[in-house]
Amino acid sequence: MTKQEKVDFVITTLNALYPEIPIPLDHKDPYTLLVAVLLSAQCTDVRVNKITPLLFAKADNPYDMIKLSVEKIKEIIRPCGLSPMKSKGIYGLSQMLIEEHNGIVPQSFEALEAFPAVGHKTASVVMSQAFGVPAFPVDTHIHRLMYRWNLTNGKNVTQTEKDAKRIFPKEHWNDLHLQMIWYGREYSPARGWDLEKDIITKTIGRSTVLKEYYNPKKK
């Protein structure tokens, strides 16, 4: 298969599996999405979706959020992990939204990445899922798949994102990054991986990955 044939196969297969693509994190607007994505760092989406209703019941907008103390926010979000950093980030970005953006989440990578605790991946998720701006947020699932599919040699998510944007047509980015997340979870997980069910990796996968799967090194 040529690289272009691999790209076409990935797009066709994912569109067939996920014609309708649910967004993993529950939210109602750009602000609640921003907070949810921030909370998802080193935490499962399932857990975030259990915690955000508790937080948003008290504050689902920046004006109400800054009425809570950092300690109160930390207490609510503690199950998500990294609560000291995340609570300061949520409070700080809420304050900045009010002071610099009239309480409205800006539609700009630069403005989003200026908020505390908001990195490029978080900004990319908000830009793509809240505003429909083409972006390709790379999480551990996408990083793993891009390597298994021999579409990147990236040692980190930054390089993998560059490769994904170079390989896949821009008009597919927003759908693809979500489809790949779901595919990675359902068909190509890091643990408990069944290659026979992972049709994309089985068809276009990196030879070293396939050899390692069928001939695992003895420990």
Side-chain angles (χ1 to χ4, degrees), residues 173-191:
W173 290 357
N174 286 357
D175 285 348
L176 271 174
H177 92 264
L178 284 171
Q179 290 170 323
M180 289 172 72
I181 289 170
W182 289 114
Y183 186 89
R185 291 175 178 177
E186 295 185 50
Y187 298 99
S188 194
R191 298 179 180 179

Side-chain angles (χ1 to χ4, degrees), residues 1-7 9-10 141-155 159-160 163-164 166-168 180 188 193 195 198 200-210:
M1 267 190 178
T2 66
K3 183 155 283 189
Q4 186 57 53
E5 287 173 335
K6 289 182 178 182
V7 167
F9 181 76
V10 168
H141 295 291
I142 295 175
H143 185 58
R144 179 175 67 255
L145 295 184
M146 288 286 290
Y147 180 80
R148 283 181 176 175
W149 297 347
N150 201 19
L151 296 177
T152 185
N153 286 315
K155 302 299 182 184
Q159 183 58 52
T160 299
D163 290 337
R166 175 175 52 81
I167 293 168
F168 294 111
M180 289 172 72
S188 194
W193 178 33
L195 183 62
D198 183 356
I200 297 180
T201 305
K202 189 175 181 182
T203 304
I204 69 170
R206 185 184 298 267
S207 60
T208 52
V209 169
L210 301 179

